[in-house]
Coordinates of all heavy atoms in Angstrom, one line a residue:
M1 N -135.7 -110.9 -128.2 CA -134.5 -110.0 -127.8 C -134.9 -108.6 -127.6 O -134.4 -108.0 -126.7 CB -133.3 -110.2 -128.9 CG -132.2 -109.5 -128.4 SD -130.6 -110.0 -128.5 CE -130.1 -111.6 -128.6
T2 N -135.7 -108.1 -128.5 CA -136.1 -106.6 -128.4 C -136.8 -106.5 -127.0 O -136.7 -105.4 -126.3 CB -137.0 -106.2 -129.5 OG1 -136.3 -106.4 -130.8 CG2 -137.4 -104.7 -129.4
T3 N -137.6 -107.4 -126.6 CA -138.4 -107.3 -125.4 C -137.4 -107.2 -124.2 O -137.6 -106.5 -123.2 CB -139.4 -108.5 -125.3 OG1 -140.2 -108.5 -126.4 CG2 -140.2 -108.3 -124.0
N4 N -136.3 -108.0 -124.2 CA -135.4 -108.0 -123.1 C -134.7 -106.7 -123.1 O -134.5 -106.2 -122.0 CB -134.4 -109.1 -123.3 CG -135.0 -110.6 -123.0 OD1 -136.0 -110.6 -122.5 ND2 -134.3 -111.6 -123.6
D5 N -134.3 -106.2 -124.2 CA -133.7 -104.9 -124.1 C -134.6 -103.8 -123.5 O -134.2 -102.9 -122.9 CB -133.3 -104.4 -125.6 CG -132.1 -105.3 -126.1 OD1 -131.5 -105.8 -125.3 OD2 -131.9 -105.3 -127.4
H6 N -135.8 -103.9 -124.0 CA -136.9 -102.8 -123.5 C -137.0 -103.0 -121.9 O -137.0 -102.1 -121.2 CB -138.2 -103.1 -124.2 CG -139.2 -102.2 -123.7 ND1 -139.1 -100.8 -123.9 CD2 -140.4 -102.5 -123.0 CE1 -140.2 -100.3 -123.4 NE2 -140.9 -101.2 -122.8
S7 N -137.1 -104.2 -121.4 CA -137.2 -104.4 -120.0 C -136.0 -104.0 -119.3 O -136.1 -103.5 -118.2 CB -137.6 -105.8 -119.7 OG -136.5 -106.8 -120.0
I8 N -134.8 -104.1 -119.8 CA -133.5 -103.7 -119.2 C -133.6 -102.2 -119.1 O -133.2 -101.6 -118.1 CB -132.4 -104.3 -120.0 CG1 -132.3 -105.8 -119.7 CG2 -131.0 -103.5 -119.4 CD1 -131.2 -106.4 -120.6
G9 N -134.0 -101.5 -120.2 CA -134.1 -100.0 -120.1 C -135.1 -99.6 -119.1 O -134.9 -98.6 -118.4
A10 N -136.2 -100.3 -119.1 CA -137.2 -99.9 -118.0 C -136.7 -100.1 -116.6 O -136.9 -99.2 -115.7 CB -138.5 -100.7 -118.3
E11 N -135.9 -101.1 -116.4 CA -135.4 -101.4 -115.1 C -134.4 -100.3 -114.7 O -134.4 -99.8 -113.6 CB -134.7 -102.8 -115.0 CG -134.2 -103.1 -113.6 CD -133.6 -104.5 -113.7 OE1 -134.3 -105.5 -114.3 OE2 -132.5 -104.7 -113.1
T12 N -133.5 -99.9 -115.7 CA -132.6 -98.8 -115.5 C -133.3 -97.5 -115.2 O -132.9 -96.9 -114.2 CB -131.7 -98.7 -116.7 OG1 -131.0 -99.9 -117.0 CG2 -130.6 -97.6 -116.5
G13 N -134.4 -97.2 -115.9 CA -135.2 -96.1 -115.6 C -135.7 -96.1 -114.2 O -135.8 -95.1 -113.5
Y14 N -136.3 -97.3 -113.8 CA -136.9 -97.3 -112.5 C -135.8 -97.1 -111.4 O -136.0 -96.4 -110.5 CB -137.4 -98.7 -112.3 CG -138.0 -99.0 -110.9 CD1 -139.1 -98.4 -110.5 CD2 -137.2 -99.8 -110.0 CE1 -139.5 -98.6 -109.2 CE2 -137.6 -100.0 -108.8 CZ -138.8 -99.4 -108.3 OH -139.3 -99.7 -107.1
R15 N -134.6 -97.7 -111.6 CA -133.6 -97.5 -110.6 C -133.1 -96.0 -110.5 O -132.9 -95.5 -109.4 CB -132.2 -98.4 -110.9 CG -132.4 -99.8 -110.7 CD -131.2 -100.5 -111.1 NE -131.4 -102.0 -110.9 CZ -130.6 -102.9 -111.4 NH1 -129.5 -102.5 -112.0 NH2 -130.9 -104.2 -111.3
R16 N -133.0 -95.4 -111.7 CA -132.6 -94.0 -111.6 C -133.7 -93.2 -111.0 O -133.5 -92.3 -110.2 CB -132.5 -93.5 -113.1 CG -132.1 -92.1 -113.2 CD -131.8 -91.6 -114.6 NE -130.7 -92.3 -115.2 CZ -130.8 -92.9 -116.4 NH1 -131.8 -92.6 -117.1 NH2 -129.7 -93.5 -116.8
H17 N -135.0 -93.5 -111.2 CA -136.1 -92.8 -110.5 C -136.0 -93.0 -109.0 O -136.2 -92.2 -108.3 CB -137.4 -93.2 -111.1 CG -138.6 -92.6 -110.5 ND1 -138.9 -91.3 -110.6 CD2 -139.6 -93.1 -109.6 CE1 -140.0 -91.0 -109.9 NE2 -140.4 -92.0 -109.3
A18 N -135.8 -94.2 -108.6 CA -135.7 -94.7 -107.2 C -134.5 -93.9 -106.6 O -134.6 -93.4 -105.4 CB -135.5 -96.1 -107.1
L19 N -133.4 -93.7 -107.2 CA -132.3 -93.0 -106.7 C -132.6 -91.6 -106.5 O -132.3 -90.9 -105.6 CB -131.1 -93.3 -107.6 CG -130.3 -94.5 -107.4 CD1 -129.2 -94.7 -108.4 CD2 -129.8 -94.8 -106.1
V20 N -133.2 -91.0 -107.5 CA -133.6 -89.6 -107.4 C -134.6 -89.4 -106.3 O -134.4 -88.4 -105.5 CB -134.2 -89.1 -108.8 CG1 -134.8 -87.7 -108.7 CG2 -133.1 -89.0 -109.9
S21 N -135.6 -90.3 -106.1 CA -136.5 -90.1 -105.1 C -135.8 -90.2 -103.7 O -136.1 -89.5 -102.7 CB -137.5 -91.3 -105.2 OG -138.3 -91.0 -106.3
L22 N -134.9 -91.2 -103.6 CA -134.1 -91.4 -102.4 C -133.3 -90.1 -102.0 O -133.3 -89.7 -100.9 CB -133.3 -92.6 -102.4 CG -132.5 -93.0 -101.2 CD1 -133.6 -93.4 -100.1 CD2 -131.6 -94.2 -101.5
F23 N -132.7 -89.6 -103.1 CA -131.8 -88.4 -102.9 C -132.7 -87.2 -102.4 O -132.4 -86.5 -101.5 CB -131.1 -88.0 -104.2 CG -130.3 -86.8 -104.0 CD1 -129.1 -86.8 -103.3 CD2 -130.7 -85.6 -104.6 CE1 -128.3 -85.7 -103.1 CE2 -129.9 -84.4 -104.5 CZ -128.7 -84.5 -103.7
R24 N -134.0 -87.0 -103.0 CA -134.8 -86.0 -102.6 C -135.3 -86.1 -101.2 O -135.4 -85.2 -100.4 CB -136.0 -85.9 -103.6 CG -135.6 -85.3 -104.9 CD -136.8 -85.2 -105.9 NE -136.5 -84.7 -107.1 CZ -137.1 -84.8 -108.2 NH1 -138.2 -85.5 -108.2 NH2 -136.6 -84.3 -109.4
M25 N -135.6 -87.4 -100.8 CA -136.0 -87.6 -99.5 C -134.9 -87.4 -98.5 O -135.1 -86.8 -97.4 CB -136.4 -89.1 -99.3 CG -137.1 -89.4 -98.0 SD -137.9 -91.0 -97.8 CE -136.5 -92.2 -98.1
Y26 N -133.7 -87.7 -98.8 CA -132.5 -87.4 -98.0 C -132.4 -85.9 -97.8 O -132.1 -85.5 -96.6 CB -131.3 -88.1 -98.6 CG -130.0 -87.5 -98.0 CD1 -129.5 -87.9 -96.7 CD2 -129.3 -86.6 -98.7 CE1 -128.4 -87.4 -96.1 CE2 -128.0 -86.1 -98.1 CZ -127.7 -86.5 -96.9 OH -126.5 -86.0 -96.3
E27 N -132.4 -85.2 -98.9 CA -132.4 -83.7 -98.8 C -133.4 -83.1 -98.0 O -133.2 -82.2 -97.1 CB -132.4 -83.1 -100.2 CG -131.1 -83.4 -101.0 CD -129.9 -82.7 -100.4 OE1 -130.0 -81.6 -100.0 OE2 -128.9 -83.4 -100.3
A28 N -134.7 -83.6 -98.1 CA -135.8 -83.1 -97.3 C -135.5 -83.4 -95.8 O -135.8 -82.5 -95.0 CB -137.1 -83.7 -97.7
V29 N -135.1 -84.6 -95.5 CA -134.8 -84.9 -94.0 C -133.6 -84.0 -93.5 O -133.8 -83.6 -92.4 CB -134.5 -86.5 -93.9 CG1 -134.0 -86.8 -92.5 CG2 -135.7 -87.2 -94.2
K30 N -132.6 -83.9 -94.3 CA -131.4 -83.0 -93.9 C -131.9 -81.7 -93.6 O -131.6 -81.0 -92.6 CB -130.4 -83.1 -94.9 CG -129.1 -82.4 -94.5 CD -128.0 -82.6 -95.6 CE -128.1 -81.5 -96.7 NZ -127.1 -81.5 -97.6
W31 N -132.7 -81.2 -94.6 CA -133.2 -79.7 -94.4 C -134.0 -79.6 -93.1 O -133.9 -78.6 -92.4 CB -134.0 -79.3 -95.6 CG -134.5 -77.9 -95.6 CD1 -133.7 -76.8 -96.1 CD2 -135.6 -77.3 -95.0 NE1 -134.4 -75.6 -95.8 CE2 -135.5 -75.9 -95.2 CE3 -136.7 -77.8 -94.3 CZ2 -136.5 -75.0 -94.7 CZ3 -137.7 -77.0 -93.9 CH2 -137.6 -75.6 -94.0
T32 N -134.9 -80.6 -92.9 CA -135.7 -80.5 -91.7 C -135.0 -80.6 -90.4 O -135.2 -79.8 -89.4 CB -136.7 -81.7 -91.7 OG1 -137.5 -81.6 -93.0 CG2 -137.7 -81.6 -90.5
L33 N -134.0 -81.5 -90.4 CA -133.1 -81.6 -89.1 C -132.3 -80.4 -88.9 O -132.1 -80.1 -87.7 CB -132.3 -82.9 -89.3 CG -133.1 -84.2 -89.2 CD1 -132.1 -85.4 -89.4 CD2 -133.8 -84.4 -87.9
L34 N -131.8 -79.8 -89.9 CA -130.9 -78.6 -89.8 C -131.6 -77.3 -89.7 O -131.1 -76.3 -89.5 CB -129.9 -78.6 -90.9 CG -128.9 -79.8 -90.9 CD1 -128.0 -79.6 -92.1 CD2 -128.1 -79.9 -89.6
W35 N -133.0 -77.4 -89.8 CA -133.8 -76.1 -89.8 C -133.7 -75.4 -88.4 O -133.4 -74.2 -88.4 CB -135.2 -76.5 -90.0 CG -136.1 -75.3 -89.9 CD1 -136.4 -74.3 -90.8 CD2 -136.9 -74.8 -88.7 NE1 -137.1 -73.3 -90.4 CE2 -137.5 -73.7 -89.1 CE3 -137.0 -75.4 -87.5 CZ2 -138.3 -73.0 -88.2 CZ3 -138.0 -74.8 -86.6 CH2 -138.5 -73.6 -86.9
L36 N -133.8 -76.1 -87.3 CA -133.7 -75.4 -86.0 C -132.4 -74.8 -85.7 O -132.5 -73.5 -85.4 CB -134.1 -76.5 -84.9 CG -134.3 -75.9 -83.5 CD1 -135.5 -74.9 -83.5 CD2 -134.5 -77.0 -82.6
P37 N -131.2 -75.3 -86.0 CA -130.1 -74.6 -85.8 C -129.9 -73.4 -86.7 O -129.5 -72.3 -86.3 CB -128.9 -75.6 -86.2 CG -129.5 -76.9 -86.0 CD -131.0 -76.8 -86.3
R38 N -130.4 -73.5 -88.0 CA -130.5 -72.3 -88.9 C -131.4 -71.2 -88.3 O -131.0 -70.0 -88.4 CB -130.9 -72.7 -90.3 CG -129.9 -73.4 -91.1 CD -130.3 -73.4 -92.6 NE -131.6 -73.9 -92.8 CZ -132.1 -75.1 -92.9 NH1 -131.2 -76.0 -93.0 NH2 -133.3 -75.4 -93.2
F39 N -132.5 -71.6 -87.8 CA -133.5 -70.7 -87.2 C -132.9 -69.9 -86.0 O -132.9 -68.7 -85.9 CB -134.7 -71.5 -86.9 CG -135.8 -70.6 -86.1 CD1 -136.6 -69.7 -86.7 CD2 -135.8 -70.7 -84.7 CE1 -137.5 -68.9 -86.0 CE2 -136.6 -69.9 -83.9 CZ -137.5 -69.0 -84.6
W40 N -132.3 -70.6 -85.1 CA -131.6 -70.0 -83.9 C -130.6 -69.1 -84.3 O -130.3 -68.0 -83.8 CB -131.2 -71.0 -82.9 CG -132.3 -71.7 -82.2 CD1 -132.7 -73.0 -82.2 CD2 -133.2 -71.0 -81.2 NE1 -133.8 -73.1 -81.4 CE2 -134.2 -72.0 -80.8 CE3 -133.3 -69.6 -80.9 CZ2 -135.1 -71.6 -79.9 CZ3 -134.4 -69.3 -79.9 CH2 -135.2 -70.3 -79.5
K41 N -129.8 -69.5 -85.3 CA -128.6 -68.7 -85.7 C -129.1 -67.4 -86.3 O -128.7 -66.3 -86.1 CB -127.8 -69.4 -86.8 CG -126.6 -68.6 -87.3 CD -125.7 -69.4 -88.2 CE -124.6 -68.5 -88.8 NZ -123.9 -69.1 -89.9
A42 N -130.1 -67.5 -87.3 CA -130.7 -66.2 -87.8 C -131.3 -65.3 -86.8 O -131.2 -64.1 -86.8 CB -131.8 -66.7 -88.9
R43 N -132.0 -65.9 -85.8 CA -132.7 -65.1 -84.8 C -131.6 -64.5 -83.9 O -131.8 -63.3 -83.4 CB -133.6 -65.9 -83.9 CG -134.9 -66.3 -84.7 CD -135.6 -65.2 -85.2 NE -136.6 -65.6 -86.2 CZ -137.6 -64.8 -86.6 NH1 -137.8 -63.7 -86.0 NH2 -138.4 -65.2 -87.5
S44 N -130.5 -65.1 -83.6 CA -129.5 -64.5 -82.8 C -128.8 -63.4 -83.5 O -128.4 -62.3 -82.9 CB -128.5 -65.5 -82.3 OG -127.7 -66.0 -83.4
Q45 N -128.7 -63.5 -84.8 CA -128.1 -62.5 -85.7 C -129.0 -61.3 -85.6 O -128.6 -60.1 -85.6 CB -127.8 -62.9 -87.0 CG -126.7 -63.9 -87.2 CD -126.6 -64.5 -88.6 OE1 -127.5 -64.4 -89.4 NE2 -125.5 -65.1 -88.8
L46 N -130.4 -61.5 -85.7 CA -131.4 -60.4 -85.7 C -131.3 -59.7 -84.3 O -131.4 -58.6 -84.2 CB -132.8 -60.9 -85.9 CG -133.2 -61.1 -87.3 CD1 -134.6 -61.6 -87.5 CD2 -133.2 -59.8 -88.1
A47 N -131.1 -60.5 -83.2 CA -131.1 -59.9 -81.9 C -129.8 -59.0 -81.7 O -129.9 -58.0 -81.1 CB -131.0 -61.0 -80.8
C48 N -128.7 -59.4 -82.3 CA -127.5 -58.6 -82.4 C -127.8 -57.2 -83.1 O -127.4 -56.2 -82.7 CB -126.3 -59.3 -83.0 SG -125.7 -60.6 -82.0
L49 N -128.5 -57.3 -84.2 CA -128.7 -56.1 -85.0 C -129.7 -55.2 -84.3 O -129.6 -54.0 -84.2 CB -129.4 -56.5 -86.4 CG -128.4 -57.1 -87.4 CD1 -129.2 -57.6 -88.6 CD2 -127.3 -56.1 -87.9
A50 N -130.7 -55.9 -83.6 CA -131.6 -55.1 -82.8 C -131.0 -54.4 -81.6 O -131.4 -53.3 -81.2 CB -132.8 -56.0 -82.3
A51 N -129.9 -55.0 -81.1 CA -129.2 -54.3 -80.0 C -128.3 -53.1 -80.4 O -127.9 -52.4 -79.6 CB -128.3 -55.4 -79.3
M52 N -128.1 -53.0 -81.6 CA -127.3 -51.9 -82.2 C -128.0 -50.6 -82.1 O -129.3 -50.6 -82.0 CB -126.9 -52.1 -83.6 CG -125.9 -53.2 -83.9 SD -125.7 -53.2 -85.7 CE -124.4 -54.4 -85.8
S53 N -127.3 -49.5 -82.0 CA -127.9 -48.2 -82.0 C -128.4 -47.9 -83.5 O -128.0 -48.5 -84.4 CB -126.9 -47.1 -81.5 OG -126.0 -46.9 -82.5
E54 N -129.4 -46.9 -83.6 CA -129.8 -46.5 -84.9 C -128.7 -46.0 -85.8 O -128.7 -46.3 -87.0 CB -130.9 -45.4 -84.7 CG -131.7 -45.1 -86.0 CD -132.4 -46.3 -86.5 OE1 -133.0 -47.1 -85.7 OE2 -132.6 -46.4 -87.7
C55 N -127.8 -45.3 -85.2 CA -126.6 -44.9 -85.9 C -125.7 -46.0 -86.4 O -125.3 -46.0 -87.6 CB -125.7 -44.0 -85.0 SG -124.4 -43.2 -85.9
E56 N -125.5 -47.0 -85.7 CA -124.7 -48.2 -86.1 C -125.5 -48.9 -87.2 O -124.9 -49.3 -88.2 CB -124.5 -49.1 -84.9 CG -123.6 -48.6 -83.9 CD -123.5 -49.5 -82.7 OE1 -124.5 -50.0 -82.3 OE2 -122.4 -49.6 -82.1
R57 N -126.7 -49.1 -87.1 CA -127.6 -49.7 -88.1 C -127.5 -48.9 -89.4 O -127.4 -49.5 -90.5 CB -129.1 -50.0 -87.6 CG -129.1 -51.1 -86.7 CD -130.6 -51.5 -86.5 NE -131.4 -50.5 -85.9 CZ -131.6 -50.5 -84.6 NH1 -131.2 -51.4 -83.8 NH2 -132.4 -49.4 -84.1
R58 N -127.6 -47.6 -89.3 CA -127.6 -46.7 -90.4 C -126.3 -46.9 -91.3 O -126.2 -46.9 -92.4 CB -127.8 -45.3 -90.1 CG -128.7 -44.6 -91.0 CD -129.0 -43.1 -90.6 NE -129.4 -43.1 -89.2 CZ -128.9 -42.2 -88.3 NH1 -128.1 -41.3 -88.7 NH2 -129.3 -42.2 -87.1
D59 N -125.2 -47.1 -90.5 CA -123.9 -47.2 -91.1 C -123.8 -48.5 -92.0 O -123.1 -48.5 -93.0 CB -122.8 -47.3 -90.0 CG -122.4 -46.1 -89.4 OD1 -122.8 -45.0 -89.9 OD2 -121.8 -46.1 -88.3
I60 N -124.5 -49.6 -91.6 CA -124.6 -50.8 -92.5 C -125.7 -50.7 -93.4 O -125.9 -51.8 -94.1 CB -124.5 -52.0 -91.6 CG1 -125.8 -52.1 -90.7 CG2 -123.2 -52.2 -90.8 CD1 -125.9 -53.5 -89.9
G61 N -126.5 -49.7 -93.4 CA -127.6 -49.6 -94.4 C -129.0 -50.2 -94.0 O -129.8 -50.5 -94.9
L62 N -129.2 -50.3 -92.7 CA -130.4 -50.8 -92.2 C -131.2 -49.7 -91.3 O -130.5 -48.9 -90.8 CB -130.3 -52.1 -91.4 CG -129.8 -53.3 -92.2 CD1 -129.4 -54.4 -91.2 CD2 -130.8 -53.7 -93.2
T63 N -132.4 -49.9 -91.1 CA -133.2 -49.0 -90.3 C -134.0 -50.0 -89.3 O -134.1 -51.2 -89.5 CB -134.3 -48.2 -91.0 OG1 -135.2 -49.1 -91.6 CG2 -133.6 -47.3 -92.1
S64 N -134.5 -49.4 -88.2 CA -135.4 -50.2 -87.2 C -136.6 -50.8 -87.9 O -137.0 -52.0 -87.6 CB -135.7 -49.4 -86.0 OG -136.5 -48.3 -86.5
C65 N -137.1 -50.2 -89.0 CA -138.2 -50.7 -89.8 C -137.8 -51.9 -90.5 O -138.6 -52.9 -90.6 CB -138.8 -49.6 -90.7 SG -140.2 -50.1 -91.6
D66 N -136.7 -52.0 -91.0 CA -136.2 -53.2 -91.7 C -136.1 -54.4 -90.7 O -136.5 -55.5 -91.1 CB -134.8 -53.0 -92.3 CG -134.7 -51.9 -93.4 OD1 -135.8 -51.7 -94.0 OD2 -133.7 -51.2 -93.5
L67 N -135.7 -54.1 -89.6 CA -135.6 -55.2 -88.5 C -137.0 -55.7 -88.2 O -137.2 -56.9 -88.0 CB -134.8 -54.7 -87.3 CG -133.3 -54.5 -87.5 CD1 -132.7 -54.0 -86.2 CD2 -132.7 -55.8 -88.1
E68 N -137.9 -54.7 -88.0 CA -139.3 -55.1 -87.8 C -139.8 -56.0 -88.8 O -140.5 -57.0 -88.6 CB -140.1 -53.9 -87.5 CG -139.9 -53.1 -86.3 CD -140.7 -51.8 -86.1 OE1 -141.7 -51.7 -86.9 OE2 -140.3 -51.0 -85.3
N69 N -139.6 -55.6 -90.1 CA -140.1 -56.5 -91.2 C -139.4 -57.8 -91.2 O -140.0 -58.8 -91.6 CB -139.8 -55.7 -92.6 CG -140.6 -54.5 -92.7 OD1 -141.6 -54.4 -92.1 ND2 -140.1 -53.6 -93.6
A70 N -138.1 -57.9 -90.8 CA -137.5 -59.2 -90.7 C -138.0 -60.1 -89.6 O -138.2 -61.3 -89.8 CB -135.9 -59.0 -90.5
F71 N -138.3 -59.5 -88.5 CA -138.9 -60.3 -87.4 C -140.3 -60.8 -87.8 O -140.8 -61.8 -87.3 CB -139.0 -59.4 -86.2 CG -137.8 -59.5 -85.3 CD1 -137.0 -58.4 -85.1 CD2 -137.3 -60.7 -84.7 CE1 -135.9 -58.5 -84.4 CE2 -136.2 -60.7 -83.9 CZ -135.4 -59.7 -83.8
A72 N -141.0 -60.0 -88.7 CA -142.5 -60.4 -89.1 C -142.4 -61.5 -90.2 O -143.5 -62.0 -90.5 CB -143.1 -59.1 -89.7
L73 N -141.3 -61.9 -90.8 CA -141.2 -62.9 -91.8 C -141.6 -64.2 -91.2 O -141.5 -64.5 -90.0 CB -139.9 -63.1 -92.3 CG -139.3 -62.0 -93.2 CD1 -137.9 -62.1 -93.5 CD2 -140.1 -61.9 -94.5
P74 N -142.2 -65.1 -92.0 CA -142.5 -66.5 -91.6 C -141.2 -67.2 -91.0 O -140.1 -66.9 -91.5 CB -142.9 -67.2 -92.8 CG -143.3 -66.2 -93.8 CD -142.5 -64.9 -93.4
I75 N -141.3 -68.1 -90.1 CA -140.2 -68.7 -89.5 C -139.3 -69.6 -90.3 O -138.2 -69.9 -90.0 CB -140.6 -69.4 -88.1 CG1 -141.6 -70.6 -88.4 CG2 -141.1 -68.6 -87.1 CD1 -141.8 -71.5 -87.2
D76 N -139.9 -70.0 -91.4 CA -139.1 -70.8 -92.3 C -138.3 -70.0 -93.4 O -137.5 -70.5 -94.1 CB -140.0 -71.7 -93.1 CG -141.1 -71.1 -94.0 OD1 -141.4 -69.9 -93.7 OD2 -141.5 -71.6 -95.0
R77 N -138.4 -68.7 -93.3 CA -137.6 -67.9 -94.2 C -136.4 -67.2 -93.4 O -136.6 -67.0 -92.2 CB -138.4 -66.6 -94.7 CG -139.5 -67.1 -95.7 CD -139.6 -66.3 -97.0 NE -138.6 -65.3 -97.3 CZ -138.7 -64.1 -97.7 NH1 -140.0 -63.6 -97.6 NH2 -137.8 -63.3 -98.0
D78 N -135.3 -67.0 -94.0 CA -134.1 -66.6 -93.4 C -134.2 -65.1 -93.4 O -134.0 -64.5 -94.5 CB -132.8 -67.1 -94.1 CG -131.6 -66.7 -93.4 OD1 -131.6 -66.1 -92.3 OD2 -130.5 -67.0 -93.9
P79 N -134.3 -64.4 -92.3 CA -134.4 -62.9 -92.3 C -133.1 -62.2 -92.7 O -133.1 -61.1 -93.3 CB -134.8 -62.5 -90.8 CG -134.4 -63.7 -90.1 CD -134.4 -64.9 -91.0
T80 N -131.9 -62.9 -92.5 CA -130.7 -62.3 -92.9 C -130.6 -62.1 -94.4 O -130.0 -61.2 -94.9 CB -129.5 -63.1 -92.3 OG1 -129.6 -64.4 -92.8 CG2 -129.5 -63.0 -90.8
E81 N -131.2 -63.0 -95.2 CA -131.1 -62.9 -96.6 C -132.0 -61.7 -97.1 O -131.6 -61.0 -97.9 CB -131.7 -64.2 -97.3 CG -130.7 -65.4 -97.2 CD -131.4 -66.7 -97.8 OE1 -132.5 -66.6 -98.3 OE2 -130.8 -67.7 -97.7
M82 N -133.1 -61.5 -96.4 CA -133.9 -60.4 -96.8 C -133.3 -59.0 -96.4 O -133.3 -58.1 -97.2 CB -135.3 -60.5 -96.0 CG -136.3 -59.5 -96.4 SD -136.3 -57.8 -95.6 CE -136.6 -58.3 -93.9
L83 N -132.6 -59.0 -95.3 CA -131.9 -57.8 -94.9 C -130.7 -57.6 -95.8 O -130.4 -56.4 -96.2 CB -131.5 -57.9 -93.4 CG -132.6 -58.0 -92.4 CD1 -132.0 -58.2 -91.0 CD2 -133.3 -56.6 -92.4
A84 N -130.0 -58.6 -96.3 CA -128.9 -58.4 -97.2 C -129.5 -57.8 -98.5 O -128.7 -57.0 -99.1 CB -128.2 -59.7 -97.3
Q85 N -130.6 -58.2 -98.9 CA -131.1 -57.8 -100.2 C -131.5 -56.3 -100.0 O -131.4 -55.5 -100.9 CB -132.4 -58.7 -100.6 CG -132.9 -58.3 -101.9 CD -131.9 -58.5 -103.1 OE1 -131.2 -59.5 -103.1 NE2 -131.8 -57.5 -103.9
V86 N -132.1 -55.9 -98.9 CA -132.5 -54.6 -98.6 C -131.2 -53.7 -98.8 O -131.3 -52.6 -99.3 CB -133.1 -54.4 -97.3 CG1 -133.3 -53.0 -96.8 CG2 -134.5 -55.1 -97.2
V87 N -130.2 -54.0 -98.1 CA -128.9 -53.3 -98.1 C -128.4 -53.1 -99.6 O -128.0 -52.1 -99.9 CB -127.9 -53.9 -97.1 CG1 -126.5 -53.2 -97.3 CG2 -128.4 -53.7 -95.7
T88 N -128.4 -54.2 -100.3 CA -127.9 -54.2 -101.6 C -128.8 -53.3 -102.5 O -128.3 -52.5 -103.2 CB -128.0 -55.6 -102.2 OG1 -127.1 -56.4 -101.4 CG2 -127.4 -55.6 -103.6
D89 N -130.1 -53.4 -102.3 CA -131.0 -52.5 -103.2 C -130.7 -51.0 -102.8 O -130.7 -50.3 -103.8 CB -132.5 -52.9 -102.9 CG -132.8 -54.2 -103.4 OD1 -132.1 -54.7 -104.3 OD2 -133.9 -54.8 -103.0
R90 N -130.5 -50.7 -101.6 CA -130.3 -49.3 -101.2 C -129.0 -48.8 -101.8 O -128.9 -47.7 -102.2 CB -130.3 -49.1 -99.8 CG -131.7 -49.2 -99.1 CD -131.7 -48.7 -97.7 NE -133.1 -48.8 -97.3 CZ -133.5 -49.4 -96.2 NH1 -132.6 -49.9 -95.3 NH2 -134.8 -49.5 -95.8
R91 N -128.0 -49.7 -101.7 CA -126.7 -49.3 -102.3 C -126.8 -49.0 -103.8 O -126.2 -48.0 -104.4 CB -125.7 -50.3 -102.0 CG -125.1 -50.2 -100.6 CD -124.0 -51.3 -100.4 NE -123.7 -51.3 -99.0 CZ -123.1 -52.3 -98.4 NH1 -122.9 -53.4 -99.0 NH2 -122.9 -52.3 -97.1
L92 N -127.5 -49.9 -104.5 CA -127.7 -49.7 -105.9 C -128.4 -48.5 -106.3 O -128.2 -47.8 -107.2 CB -128.4 -51.0 -106.5 CG -127.6 -52.3 -106.6 CD1 -128.4 -53.4 -107.0 CD2 -126.4 -52.0 -107.5
R93 N -129.5 -48.2 -105.5 CA -130.3 -46.9 -105.7 C -129.4 -45.7 -105.5 O -129.6 -44.7 -106.2 CB -131.5 -46.9 -104.8 CG -132.6 -47.6 -105.4 CD -133.9 -47.3 -104.7 NE -134.1 -48.5 -103.8 CZ -134.5 -48.5 -102.6 NH1 -134.6 -47.4 -101.8 NH2 -134.6 -49.6 -101.9
R94 N -128.6 -45.7 -104.5 CA -127.6 -44.6 -104.2 C -126.6 -44.4 -105.4 O -126.2 -43.2 -105.7 CB -126.9 -44.7 -102.9 CG -127.6 -44.1 -101.8 CD -126.8 -44.2 -100.6 NE -126.9 -45.6 -100.2 CZ -126.1 -46.2 -99.2 NH1 -125.2 -45.5 -98.7 NH2 -126.3 -47.4 -98.8
E95 N -126.2 -45.4 -105.9 CA -125.1 -45.3 -107.1 C -125.8 -44.8 -108.3 O -125.0 -44.3 -109.1 CB -124.5 -46.7 -107.2 CG -123.6 -47.2 -106.1 CD -123.1 -48.6 -106.3 OE1 -123.5 -49.2 -107.2 OE2 -122.4 -49.1 -105.4
H96 N -127.1 -45.0 -108.5 CA -127.7 -44.6 -109.8 C -128.3 -43.3 -109.7 O -128.7 -42.7 -109.2 CB -128.5 -45.6 -110.3 CG -127.9 -47.0 -110.7 ND1 -126.7 -46.9 -111.5 CD2 -128.1 -48.2 -110.4 CE1 -126.3 -48.1 -111.7 NE2 -127.1 -49.0 -111.0

């Protein structure tokens, strides 16, 4: 009887592991398929920022150098997250 209980527990563990693996595979496929739309959206947002004048960018806390750095990021990184962090850091430095 103990052996049967052990094998049932092992089977449950295997199923849980299989479900976790399946979920991770699903998330990886979803991330891969949705990568291109995210990439185009981020690049179009960068293009809009690049089209702004230096004065407009300064109003929101960015410089042209920040945009150049954002364009230099690897394509799998979201440049808008980096720019938001730059703006936040500058605001915090001004407040202190």
